[in-house]
Amino acid sequence: VSTNVPIWSYVTDSSDDYVTATAISSDGNFSVVGYKDGKVRFFGKANNTPIWSYSTGGEIFSVDITSDGNHAVVGSKNEKAYLFTKTNNSFVWRYDLGDDVYSVSITDNGSYVAIGGKNNKLVLFEGTDSSPSWTSETLEGDIVSVSVESSYVAVGTDGGSWGYVYLFGTGSSDPVWSDDIGAVTEVMMDSDSTNFVVGSEDYNVYYYSVSSSSPVWTFGSDNKILSVSISSNGGFISAGSQDDKVYFFNSSSSTPLW
């Protein structure tokens, strides 16, 4: 990024039409945006005219997009998840979860889609198939965050004052392992499906290897961790906290670089 001047901006025409979720393709050519009023807009890099828009009728909680922008997945308060292509607003499939869809995730190459929500239900899809590969309804707490890559699905739940981290293999609805921590705010897995990071309301950042339910390391902040991110190669981690700080880590150490 060579400048802080936007290439373009887009202004909505309704006071209730503010942005609630965004995702951008790895190549930077496409982005998908969700809004409070239930609209989804898909943009190309060239200009601020949406390639397409779609109204779900319920607040958009989560969006994700493949690395090439060919597919985007959307989760809504209308209890449904949608898979779209970049071409138009005719969805590839629509799935009724039965309750608010809080989190959606799609692999970089579009091989898997994971969705989860308020009713503790985790659903995995393979490719563009509209029939789930499997469903799990044994998780404890609302599913607030999911992250899927080629081999694993990381899941975070919120039960109020408590939460769990679950790891699933993409081939089975039985969890590989789980860990009991504070209420989870966000999970994110690296592209190799080897490590992932978790943020929690218990003020901690947790860094896990898929091989163990014991964190590789834990970092304690002075307030709730609201957002976490890990680089695609797993080398670096960032975390945003309610203590008004952003933390940046080399994943090999729990001591922040800054």
Side-chain angles (χ1 to χ4, degrees), residues 13-178:
D13 56 7
S14 168
S15 60
D16 197 38
D17 201 18
Y18 60 81
V19 173
T20 54
T22 65
I24 189 169
S25 60
S26 296
D27 60 16
N29 288 325
F30 299 98
S31 60
V32 58
V33 182
Y35 295 83
K36 172 72 173 178
D37 67 358
K39 290 189 180 70
V40 182
R41 292 185 175 95
F42 194 88
F43 295 91
K45 182 175 69 175
N47 59 63
N48 67 351
T49 301
I51 295 173
W52 56 258
S53 64
Y54 182 86
S55 181
T56 67
E59 178 181 352
I60 304 302
F61 289 128
S62 180
V63 297
D64 200 11
I65 192 170
T66 56
S67 59
D68 57 10
N70 281 336
H71 290 90
V73 61
V74 176
S76 173
K77 187 177 176 62
N78 75 348
E79 304 184 355
K80 296 177 178 63
Y82 303 79
L83 181 69
F84 294 94
T85 69
K86 65 183 179 184
T87 307
N88 57 56
N89 67 354
S90 297
F91 50 79
V92 178
W93 54 251
R94 178 176 59 190
Y95 182 83
D96 191 338
L97 188 68
D99 215 323
D100 296 351
V101 181
Y102 285 152
S103 186
V104 298
S105 178
I106 189 168
T107 56
D108 286 343
N109 63 3
S111 57
Y112 291 101
V113 174
I115 68 172
K118 191 175 182 180
N119 59 359
N120 309 11
K121 187 176 180 180
L122 175 68
V123 186
L124 186 78
F125 300 83
E126 188 167 357
T128 57
D129 192 344
S130 61
S131 298
S133 293
W134 53 255
T135 300
S136 177
E137 299 184 65
T138 61
L139 288 75
E140 296 189 52
D142 295 338
I143 297 173
V144 293
S145 186
V146 297
S147 181
V148 62
E149 287 301 340
S150 58
S151 301
Y152 293 99
V153 188
V155 182
T157 69
D158 180 352
S161 60
W162 52 268
Y164 280 86
V165 178
Y166 293 89
L167 182 73
F168 290 82
T170 51
S172 173
S173 61
D174 296 321
V176 177
W177 54 254
S178 64

Side-chain angles (χ1 to χ4, degrees), residues 101-251:
V101 181
Y102 285 152
S103 186
V104 298
S105 178
I106 189 168
T107 56
D108 286 343
N109 63 3
S111 57
Y112 291 101
V113 174
I115 68 172
K118 191 175 182 180
N119 59 359
N120 309 11
K121 187 176 180 180
L122 175 68
V123 186
L124 186 78
F125 300 83
E126 188 167 357
T128 57
D129 192 344
S130 61
S131 298
S133 293
W134 53 255
T135 300
S136 177
E137 299 184 65
T138 61
L139 288 75
E140 296 189 52
D142 295 338
I143 297 173
V144 293
S145 186
V146 297
S147 181
V148 62
E149 287 301 340
S150 58
S151 301
Y152 293 99
V153 188
V155 182
T157 69
D158 180 352
S161 60
W162 52 268
Y164 280 86
V165 178
Y166 293 89
L167 182 73
F168 290 82
T170 51
S172 173
S173 61
D174 296 321
V176 177
W177 54 254
S178 64
D179 190 19
D180 180 5
I181 64 172
V184 173
T185 54
E186 190 167 23
V187 301
M188 186 174 181
M189 182 171 286
D190 65 24
S191 295
D192 293 332
S193 283
T194 54
N195 299 283
F196 64 96
V197 62
V198 179
S200 174
E201 291 186 5
D202 67 4
Y203 298 11
N204 290 321
V205 178
Y206 298 87
Y207 178 61
Y208 290 92
S209 165
V210 296
S211 62
S212 174
S213 61
S214 297
V216 176
W217 56 253
T218 302
F219 171 80
S221 71
D222 295 323
N223 212 318
K224 298 175 182 178
I225 300 295
L226 301 180
S227 180
V228 293
S229 185
I230 188 169
S231 59
S232 59
N233 65 1
F236 297 94
I237 290 168
S238 63
S241 172
Q242 203 167 330
D243 65 7
D244 299 329
K245 295 176 183 176
V246 176
Y247 300 93
F248 189 72
F249 305 84
N250 186 306
S251 61

